[in-house]
Amino acid sequence: MGRLKTFIKAYVQDPGWLWFVRKYKTRLGWRARQYEVYYQRSKRLCRNVGETPKTVLPAVRQFNEQGWATLQTPETEEIAAEILQVMRSEESDGEDIWNEAGRYIKADVWQKFPCLEKVFTGIAGEFIRGVYECEYKILFGVSYKSHRQAEKPPGSQLWHFDGSPGTCINLMYCLGPVGPENGAMECMSWEDTYRLFVLERKQFRQWELEGAKLTKMEVRARRASFLKEKIDCNFADRVNQPKSNGGMLFFFRNNNLHKGGFVNLGTERFVCVFNIYPSQNPPPFDEYHACGVPKTCNYPQDPDF
């Protein structure tokens, strides 16, 4: 009965699940549809969102084709340097501004660094509107410092997907230099991500046939190991890892396979991370300044949050 059940999953359930993954760019299954419906409604209601500026059009096209893109301007460099200078000054004063996970805890990042609004009213907002073809909103924003804490990369420093709705765009704002030596984000395109999801699903069923009864943590560990092996062997030349001296905006789909933050000894990485969603209304910056953009959930239960 166990083998029959696995075959039914592999040849009946999995094709349907993979159809949802490809269509909605997430692994949420049927729950993904409500976010796509809200997104399409937002596009219809925002027909006057304006034409995409030529300065961001190549990046928008790349994002639509591959699921990731980067932008950097003198303004994003200047603002990043301003934020990083404040953080380093706080560190120099002996302030405890990072938790054990490396997250900035002194204050909400938006309230602490109101200059972030300039990034979103500038090139970031132009890009996001160009991709969505409607308005947008920010679910949360957090800042992280990465430094070497273990011999091997843990957690988000391994290949993974975030698991939010496919309408979510991740924005990593690199406050300082990023490169291979300090854990610059590595990202697969969406098409390659989907191919790896297909391979992973087949492997998971093979584990079931072998009689493996895995806990959620064991599944996560095996998945990470499997993805690393496949990417190293078959996709190594397709890994994207943009470099910057500071100020780079790295946009990628929430469920593109990605990893980052495992730095060499003696190096550090400072970033701000935002999760962004389509909206029918312009971003409420006054509300963000008043209430901040704290992370209270991984993704919204209601797309009209």
Side-chain angles (χ1 to χ4, degrees), residues 27 153-164 197 200-201 203-204 207 212-229 257-258 295 298-299:
R27 296 167 63 119
S156 64
Q157 296 174 0
L158 301 170
W159 286 109
H160 69 284
F161 56 91
D162 286 352
S164 297
F197 284 167
E200 177 226 332
R201 202 66 172 181
Q203 181 60 52
F204 184 80
W207 291 332
K213 296 182 179 179
L214 306 174
T215 65
K216 186 175 291 188
M217 292 303 295
E218 289 171 335
V219 169
R220 183 176 296 178
R222 284 204 184 190
R223 177 191 292 131
S225 178
F226 174 81
L227 291 172
K228 181 182 185 305
E229 178 184 344
L257 286 169
H258 58 279
K295 183 175 182 179
N298 289 328
Y299 67 88

Side-chain angles (χ1 to χ4, degrees), residues 224-235:
S225 178
F226 174 81
L227 291 172
K228 181 182 185 305
E229 178 184 344
K230 288 297 178 185
I231 291 172
D232 288 349
C233 292
N234 304 111
F235 294 82

Side-chain angles (χ1 to χ4, degrees), residues 144-206:
Y144 289 100
K145 173 186 177 181
S146 300
H147 62 276
R148 191 66 167 266
Q149 294 179 297
E151 192 65 29
K152 295 182 178 180
S156 64
Q157 296 174 0
L158 301 170
W159 286 109
H160 69 284
F161 56 91
D162 286 352
S164 297
T167 56
C168 178
I169 294 176
N170 288 18
L171 166 55
M172 176 171 284
Y173 187 16
C174 303
L175 303 179
V178 288
E181 71 284 350
N182 71 338
M185 181 64 68
E186 298 175 70
C187 178
M188 305 302 298
S189 71
W190 171 250
E191 282 302 315
D192 286 340
T193 293
Y194 178 77
R195 293 187 185 102
L196 285 157
F197 284 167
V198 172
L199 295 173
E200 177 226 332
R201 202 66 172 181
K202 291 179 179 178
Q203 181 60 52
F204 184 80
R205 296 308 175 206
Q206 182 61 39

Side-chain angles (χ1 to χ4, degrees), residues 257-269:
L257 286 169
H258 58 279
K259 67 170 182 166
F262 189 64
V263 306
N264 291 347
L265 289 172
T267 64
E268 300 171 323
R269 185 189 72 164

Side-chain angles (χ1 to χ4, degrees), residues 22-208:
R22 177 169 282 282
K23 181 175 177 61
Y24 296 115
K25 297 180 174 61
T26 178
R27 296 167 63 119
L28 286 177
W30 61 268
R31 291 176 295 163
R33 185 177 181 277
Q34 64 173 322
Y35 300 93
E36 182 66 22
V37 169
Y38 175 83
Y39 171 38
Q40 296 302 327
R41 186 187 310 128
S42 297
K43 287 173 67 174
R44 291 194 298 271
L45 294 174
C46 294
R47 295 188 183 279
N48 62 343
V49 73
E51 191 172 332
T52 303
K54 292 181 179 179
T55 51
V56 300
L57 195 54
V60 168
R61 288 171 175 164
Q62 178 182 322
F63 187 92
N64 288 335
E65 292 172 2
Q66 300 185 35
W68 72 275
T70 63
L71 288 167
Q72 186 169 326
T73 67
E75 182 177 52
T76 65
E77 294 169 3
E78 181 181 340
I79 294 171
E82 178 183 337
I83 294 172
L84 185 55
Q85 183 178 10
V86 172
M87 290 178 172
R88 289 198 179 280
S89 176
E90 291 172 339
E91 287 182 325
S92 297
D93 292 341
E95 296 186 51
D96 188 13
I97 63 173
W98 311 102
N99 67 10
E100 292 182 358
R103 184 188 293 186
Y104 186 79
I105 56 173
K106 183 173 182 181
D108 177 89
V109 292
W110 196 279
Q111 292 177 309
K112 177 68 178 181
F113 306 109
C115 54
L116 285 167
E117 182 177 346
K118 295 180 184 177
V119 176
F120 282 89
T121 56
I123 197 167
E126 293 172 347
F127 171 87
I128 296 165
R129 289 189 182 93
V131 170
Y132 281 145
E133 299 179 17
C134 66
E135 290 292 349
Y136 69 94
K137 53 199 170 189
I138 300 170
L139 177 65
F140 65 77
V142 291
S143 188
Y144 289 100
K145 173 186 177 181
S146 300
H147 62 276
R148 191 66 167 266
Q149 294 179 297
E151 192 65 29
K152 295 182 178 180
S156 64
Q157 296 174 0
L158 301 170
W159 286 109
H160 69 284
F161 56 91
D162 286 352
S164 297
T167 56
C168 178
I169 294 176
N170 288 18
L171 166 55
M172 176 171 284
Y173 187 16
C174 303
L175 303 179
V178 288
E181 71 284 350
N182 71 338
M185 181 64 68
E186 298 175 70
C187 178
M188 305 302 298
S189 71
W190 171 250
E191 282 302 315
D192 286 340
T193 293
Y194 178 77
R195 293 187 185 102
L196 285 157
F197 284 167
V198 172
L199 295 173
E200 177 226 332
R201 202 66 172 181
K202 291 179 179 178
Q203 181 60 52
F204 184 80
R205 296 308 175 206
Q206 182 61 39
W207 291 332
E208 285 189 336

